[in-house]
Amino acid sequence: MSDITQILLIIGLPFIAFLLLGIFGNSSTLLKNSAGIIGTSLMAISCFFAIQIASGYFLSPSHASGEAFSPSIVFKYVWLNFGSGKSIDIGAFVDPISAMMLVVVTFISLMVHIFSLGYMKGEERFATYYAFLGLFTFSMLGLVISANIFQIYIFWELVGVSSFLLIGYYFQKPSAVAASKKAFIVTRFADLGFLIGILTLGFYSETFDFQELIARLSNHQTPQFLAIASASFLGLSALTWGLVLVFIGGAGKSAMFPLHIWLPDAMEGPTPVSALIHAATMVVAGVFLVARLFPIFALSDQAALNIVAYIGIISALFAAIIACTQTDIKRVLAFSTMSQIGYMMFALGVSGYGGEEGAGFSASMFHLFTHAFFKSLLFLGAGSIIHMVHSNEMGDMGGLRKYMPITHIAFLIACLAISGIPPFAGFFSKEAILHAAHQSHPGIYYLGLFTSMLTAFYMFRLYFSIFWSKESKDHSHHSEGTWSMKIPLIILSIASILVGFVPFSSYVSSDGLGLESHLDWMFSIAPVSLAFLGIGFAAYLYLKENDKPESIANSLGSIFTWVKHKFYIDELYLFITKKVIFNLFGKPAAWIDKNIIDGFYALSADITTAVSFSIRGIQSGKVQGYALYFFGGILGLAILFIYIMN
Amino acid sequence: MISVGLTHILILSTCLFFIGMYGFFTRRNLITLLMSVELMLNSVNINFAAFNKYLFPEKLDGIFFNVFIITIAAAEAAVAIAIIINLYRSHNSIDVEDAGEMKY
C-alpha cells in the first residue's frame, strides 16, 4: 500500500467514525449499541497504519547508511491560489516529529477508546461521545501531518472545537458548560496571536509552506530574511514578533503561564477525555508547533527562543507548586501536565540547532513521547478510581490498594515514571532535558531540578493519599472495573517502563542527523536523589493518616492559602475582565450604544411617527377623495412639464 | 360644410373626458362611477384613433391601442362589478359614501 493511502486512512478512519456515529449514532439503535466497537476498531486500524508508517520511516535503509532523516512530502495540492507563486496548500508531510506524533496520537487514542468502552458504558450519549473522540483524533492527526502553517491553523482550531465539545460533554452541569466556554475562549484568545504571527511570517517569507518558510527564514542571506529582520515594530524585529505571536498561540493550547487557567477547569470532561486531550495529545500541540518552527527559532532569533525557555520554566515551577496543594485528583494531574509541558518548552528554549547543541530539542520531543504514555496512564488510573469511588476528592479515598490491585500497580509505575526514577520512562527523558539545560542555562537547570523534586513529592502525595493513608470504607461490593478498563492500564504500564529505552535522540534530532544518546550516571545522582527525597517526604506526611500535613499548612499560613487558590490568577483574570475591561470599555460602549446609536434610531422613528400622525387625514377612506389627489397630481405634473420645464 | 378636423375630434374627446370626471366626482352610486370611468377611457380611445388617422395615416399603432384598451376596459368592468356585488353583500348598499372603513 502506498504512503498516500496509508496516511489518508490514518486520518480518514477517525473522521469516518465521527461522521457515522455523529450523524446516525443517535437514530439507529444498532449503531448506538455498537458505537464503541465501531470507533475502537476503526481507531485500531488507524493505529496499525501509523505504526507502519513510522517504522517504515525510521527504519528505512537509507538512514542506516548514515543519511539524515529528511522530511518527505506524501502529497500536496494547491487549495487556494493567490497568484504569483503564492498559495495555500493542503498536504501531508512526514518528518521525524510528525511520524513520532502519529504513533503517539493514534496509540493513546486507541487506549482511550478501549478504556471508554467500560468507563462510559450506559451513558445516554454514548455514540456522540465516540463521535467526538473520532473528530478529535482526526483533527489532531491532521495537525501533526500539516505541511503548511495555514493548514495547521485549520486543524488547530478543529482541535479546539473538539476539546470544547468534550469538556462540555456533561452539558447538564453548569460547571462543565463554564469550563468548556473558558477553555474555548482562552485558547481562542491565544489563537488570535497565532493568526497574526502566521500572517506576519507568511507576509515576509512569501510562503506558508513549512519547508519553504524554514528554508527562507533560517538562512540569513535570503531577501525574505533580510526583509523580516530589518522591519521593526516597537523596537523588536518583525521576525521576533512573528515567532513570539506564534508562540502565544502555542502557549494558549499548551496551558503555559499565564494562559494556563483553562486547563484545571477542563477536568470537568469525562476522565478518558482528559487522558487523551488534556494530558497526552492536544496540550502538547504548542510544543509541537515550536518544534515545527524550531530551526527558525534556533538559527534566527535567540530572543524568541529565550522567551520560550523562560515561560517554560516559570510554568513548570508554578504548576508544580500549585499541584502540591490541590485536593481534586484530576486537578493535581492537570497541574502536573502543565508542569511537564513546561519542561518540554524550556528544553526547546535552551536548545541550539544541530549536533550536540541540539540535544535539548531531542530531549523535549523525548519527554513529549514518554510523558504521553505515563500521563495518560495516570489519567486512566484516576478514571478507574473515580469510577469506583464516585468522587474526585482525595479525602474520599485512601486504602484503595486492596480493592484495585491492577490500578494500584499501574498508578505506582506511572508515578515512578513521572518522578524520574530509573529505569522508568520519565527518568531518561527528564535526565536528557536537565542535561541540556545544565550546559547552556544553569539557572534554568537548578529551577528544573527543584521542580523535579516537587514533582516527585506531589505525585507521591497523590499516590499515598489514594492507595494508603487511612483505611478505606468497604468497597468490596464494587469491582475494579471491566477488562476493557484494565487492559489499557496494563499496556500503558508496560509502555511506561519500556519506552525510555528507545534510542530516541538517534531518531529525532533538530537537524535530522541523529545524536548518540549518552547517559551520564554521575549527572543523574542529583535529580534521582532529589526525587527520592520528594518521595520520602510525601511518605512521611501521607503514608499514614495524621495531622502533619495540616500543621505544615497552618504554619505556612497565608502562603499556603495563596498557593491553594492558584496564586489567585483566576481571580486576577476575573478582576481584569469583569472590573477593568467591563467598567472601562464595556460600560461606556453600552452607554454609547444605548443612548447615541439607539437614540438616533429612536429619534428617526419618533419623527416618522409625528409626521405621519399629522398627515393621516389624507387617508380618508373616500374613493372620490383619492381620485381627486390623483387628478390633482396629473394637473400638477402637466403644469410642471408644460410651463415650468420648458 | 366644413370638414371635420383633428381639433374638432380633440374637443369632443376633451368634453367626454371632463363629463366622465364630473360624473366620477359628483355621483354616489358605484355603478355610475364605473360608467364615468368608462367615459374617460373612451375619450382616450377617441384620441388614439384620431391621432392615428390624422397624423400617421400609414400606420395602425393607434388602432391597435384601441383594441387593447377595449379589452382592458372589459376586464376592468368585470372586476369592478365583482367588487360592487361583494360590497353590496356586505354593506347592503352600493353608495360609495357607505364604504369608508379603510381609513386611519
Side-chain angles (χ1 to χ4, degrees), chain A residues 378-610:
Chain A
L378 281 170
F379 266 105
L380 293 183
S384 176
I385 294 159
I386 292 166
H387 194 65
M388 180 153 167
V389 183
H390 294 292
S391 162
N392 284 9
E393 286 296 315
M394 273 185 203
D396 300 333
M397 299 163 191
L400 290 176
R401 67 185 182 285
K402 289 174 202 152
Y403 298 104
M404 25 191 11
I406 292 176
T407 313
H408 172 218
I409 299 299
F411 210 86
L412 178 61
I413 289 171
C415 285
L416 289 169
I418 196 173
S419 307
I421 306 295
F424 298 96
F427 165 73
F428 296 95
S429 52
K430 203 174 274 187
E431 287 306 298
I433 288 181
L434 290 174
H435 203 270
H438 183 61
Q439 290 175 338
S440 51
H441 293 64
I444 288 182
Y445 166 72
Y446 288 115
L447 287 175
L449 207 55
F450 180 63
T451 309
S452 105
M453 185 185 76
L454 284 179
T455 310
F457 170 71
Y458 68 71
M459 286 319 298
F460 276 86
R461 167 178 178 263
L462 188 66
Y463 166 75
F464 287 126
S465 314
I466 296 173
F467 293 103
W468 297 78
S469 187
K470 59 193 176 213
E471 280 309 302
S472 77
K473 293 175 292 215
D474 187 21
H475 287 293
S476 51
H477 56 284
H478 279 302
S479 69
E480 197 181 345
T482 57
W483 276 103
S484 64
M485 288 166 71
K486 287 178 195 161
I487 289 169
L489 293 180
I490 296 169
I491 297 176
L492 284 169
S493 303
I494 297 169
S496 300
I497 298 171
L498 294 182
V499 291
F501 294 103
V502 175
F504 197 82
S505 56
S506 60
Y507 293 128
V508 178
S509 57
S510 51
D511 52 2
L513 283 171
L515 285 172
E516 269 312 300
S517 59
H518 48 76
L519 207 56
D520 185 349
W521 290 102
M522 291 307 285
F523 179 81
S524 310
I525 293 175
V528 173
S529 50
L530 277 174
F532 275 117
L533 190 68
I535 296 174
F537 191 53
Y540 169 71
L541 291 179
Y542 297 102
L543 188 57
K544 290 267 185 309
E545 193 174 22
N546 56 46
D547 56 0
K548 278 175 273 180
E550 192 134 343
S551 61
I552 290 180
N554 286 339
S555 65
L556 285 173
S558 60
I559 299 176
F560 183 81
T561 327
W562 264 76
V563 177
K564 187 154 170 68
H565 288 94
K566 306 162 213 161
F567 294 98
Y568 294 100
I569 301 280
D570 280 87
E571 283 76 5
L572 183 68
Y573 269 94
L574 283 182
F575 175 76
I576 291 173
T577 50
K578 287 206 168 154
K579 295 278 175 359
V580 178
I581 296 181
F582 186 74
N583 284 335
L584 287 185
F585 301 101
K587 278 192 175 170
W591 186 88
I592 289 174
D593 186 55
K594 210 167 173 180
N595 293 296
I596 296 181
I597 311 284
D598 278 8
F600 172 75
Y601 289 108
L603 183 70
S604 64
D606 285 347
I607 290 172
T608 313
T609 313

Side-chain angles (χ1 to χ4, degrees), chain A residues 13-282:
Chain A
L13 288 173
F15 190 64
I16 290 171
F18 163 63
L19 289 181
L20 191 67
L21 301 175
I23 297 173
F24 305 109
N26 284 329
S27 47
S28 137
T29 337
L30 178 71
L31 266 182
K32 192 171 181 173
N33 293 334
S34 53
I37 304 293
I38 294 173
T40 310
S41 36
L42 288 175
M43 202 55 239
I45 303 170
S46 172
C47 180
F48 171 76
F49 284 127
I51 291 173
Q52 208 176 17
I53 283 264
S55 55
Y57 184 76
F58 284 125
L59 305 176
S60 69
S62 67
H63 179 64
S65 60
E67 271 181 48
F69 283 118
S70 55
S72 70
I73 302 264
V74 180
F75 68 89
K76 183 161 117 175
Y77 77 91
V78 176
W79 177 53
L80 273 182
N81 196 353
F82 299 142
S84 71
K86 287 195 204 71
S87 64
I88 296 181
D89 303 341
I90 292 288
F93 171 73
V94 176
D95 71 341
I97 57 174
S98 60
M100 183 270 289
M101 285 299 284
L102 279 180
V103 174
V104 170
V105 173
T106 53
F107 184 74
I108 303 294
S109 182
L110 177 63
M111 290 301 123
V112 167
H113 272 76
I114 297 173
F115 186 85
S116 303
L117 288 175
Y119 188 85
M120 299 300 283
K121 197 172 182 182
E123 284 286 340
E124 178 74 10
R125 294 159 70 229
F126 189 64
T128 316
Y129 173 79
Y130 271 95
F132 288 168
L133 280 188
L135 175 65
F136 170 76
T137 312
F138 158 73
S139 336
M140 191 67 206
L141 291 170
L143 194 154
V144 300
I145 59 156
S146 290
N148 179 295
I149 197 163
F150 227 93
Q151 189 188 352
I152 214 172
Y153 184 70
I154 296 170
F155 284 106
W156 188 268
E157 293 300 331
L158 266 176
V159 165
V161 170
S162 34
S163 161
F164 167 81
L165 291 171
L166 282 165
I167 297 171
Y169 178 74
Y170 297 117
F171 63 83
Q172 302 89 341
K173 282 200 302 188
S175 59
V177 175
S180 61
K181 272 200 308 199
K182 186 173 179 182
F184 195 69
I185 292 169
V186 173
T187 51
R188 215 20 250 154
F189 175 73
D191 293 347
L192 179 66
F194 186 18
L195 181 60
I196 300 172
I198 290 174
L199 296 177
T200 312
L201 294 181
F203 177 76
Y204 285 103
S205 67
E206 297 167 352
T207 176
F208 287 115
D209 189 83
F210 274 125
Q211 279 182 302
E212 290 279 310
L213 190 74
I214 289 168
R216 287 180 189 172
L217 292 186
S218 58
N219 179 350
H220 293 200
Q221 310 304 324
T222 56
Q224 287 86 2
F225 178 82
L226 296 175
I228 193 170
S230 57
S232 91
F233 178 68
L234 294 180
L236 291 175
S237 77
L239 180 61
T240 310
W241 274 108
L243 291 175
V244 168
L245 285 166
V246 167
F247 174 65
I248 287 175
K253 262 296 181 273
S254 286
M256 289 290 98
F257 180 83
L259 294 167
H260 63 280
I261 53 162
W262 64 271
L263 188 60
D265 290 22
M267 296 299 133
E268 288 291 340
T271 312
V273 165
S274 311
L276 176 60
I277 300 185
H278 306 118
T281 53
M282 184 188 86

Side-chain angles (χ1 to χ4, degrees), chain B residues 60-96:
Chain B
L60 288 173
D61 299 20
I63 309 297
F64 279 124
F65 258 101
N66 283 347
V67 177
F68 276 120
I69 291 170
I70 290 166
T71 319
I72 288 168
E76 176 246 301
V79 172
I81 287 172
I83 292 172
I84 292 166
I85 291 171
N86 265 319
L87 198 70
Y88 182 73
R89 284 193 181 150
S90 59
H91 287 70
N92 268 327
S93 138
I94 53 168
D95 191 325
V96 75

Side-chain angles (χ1 to χ4, degrees), chain A residues 616-629 631, chain B residues 17 21 24-25 27-28 33 40 96-97 99-100 102-104:
Chain A
R616 64 179 182 162
I618 294 172
Q619 194 82 11
S620 63
K622 293 189 168 35
V623 177
Q624 288 161 323
Y626 300 151
L628 195 60
Y629 305 141
F631 284 111
Chain B
F17 185 85
M21 202 169 149
F24 194 84
F25 283 123
R27 299 290 144 167
R28 293 286 174 265
L33 292 191
M40 286 191 270
V96 75
E97 295 278 291
M102 297 288 282
K103 60 176 186 178
Y104 58 88

Side-chain angles (χ1 to χ4, degrees), chain B residues 6-99:
Chain B
L6 183 58
T7 326
H8 299 97
I9 298 177
L10 287 184
I11 288 170
L12 171 71
S13 79
T14 312
C15 291
L16 208 54
F17 185 85
F18 281 101
I19 290 167
M21 202 169 149
Y22 174 78
F24 194 84
F25 283 123
T26 53
R27 299 290 144 167
R28 293 286 174 265
N29 189 314
L30 275 169
I31 302 280
T32 328
L33 292 191
L34 181 60
M35 288 158 63
S36 313
V37 171
E38 294 297 328
L39 277 186
M40 286 191 270
L41 266 177
N42 281 325
S43 77
V44 176
N45 255 349
I46 292 171
N47 272 6
F48 269 115
F51 284 128
N52 191 60
K53 176 176 161 49
Y54 288 102
L55 300 184
F56 305 102
E58 73 284 6
K59 287 185 178 172
L60 288 173
D61 299 20
I63 309 297
F64 279 124
F65 258 101
N66 283 347
V67 177
F68 276 120
I69 291 170
I70 290 166
T71 319
I72 288 168
E76 176 246 301
V79 172
I81 287 172
I83 292 172
I84 292 166
I85 291 171
N86 265 319
L87 198 70
Y88 182 73
R89 284 193 181 150
S90 59
H91 287 70
N92 268 327
S93 138
I94 53 168
D95 191 325
V96 75
E97 295 278 291
D98 289 344

Side-chain angles (χ1 to χ4, degrees), chain A residues 228-374:
Chain A
I228 193 170
S230 57
S232 91
F233 178 68
L234 294 180
L236 291 175
S237 77
L239 180 61
T240 310
W241 274 108
L243 291 175
V244 168
L245 285 166
V246 167
F247 174 65
I248 287 175
K253 262 296 181 273
S254 286
M256 289 290 98
F257 180 83
L259 294 167
H260 63 280
I261 53 162
W262 64 271
L263 188 60
D265 290 22
M267 296 299 133
E268 288 291 340
T271 312
V273 165
S274 311
L276 176 60
I277 300 185
H278 306 118
T281 53
M282 184 188 86
V283 286
V284 298
V287 182
F288 178 80
L289 184 65
V290 176
R292 203 12 120 228
L293 297 173
F294 188 71
I296 310 180
F297 275 97
L299 292 175
S300 303
D301 203 85
Q302 200 54 43
L305 200 59
N306 281 336
I307 291 176
V308 175
Y310 289 114
I311 293 285
I313 187 66
I314 289 169
S315 308
L317 184 60
F318 175 84
I321 293 172
I322 295 175
C324 296
T325 63
Q326 298 297 305
T327 57
D328 179 322
I329 61 171
K330 285 183 74 183
R331 282 182 186 245
V332 175
L333 293 178
F335 280 109
S336 131
T337 304
M338 178 182 161
S339 175
Q340 299 304 311
I341 295 169
Y343 265 98
M344 300 170 204
M345 281 290 186
F346 84 70
L348 286 176
V350 299
S351 177
Y353 184 80
E356 287 294 313
E357 292 280 289
F361 179 87
S362 301
S364 168
M365 291 296 110
F366 192 20
H367 199 54
L368 191 161
F369 181 67
T370 58
H371 174 258
F373 293 100
F374 57 71

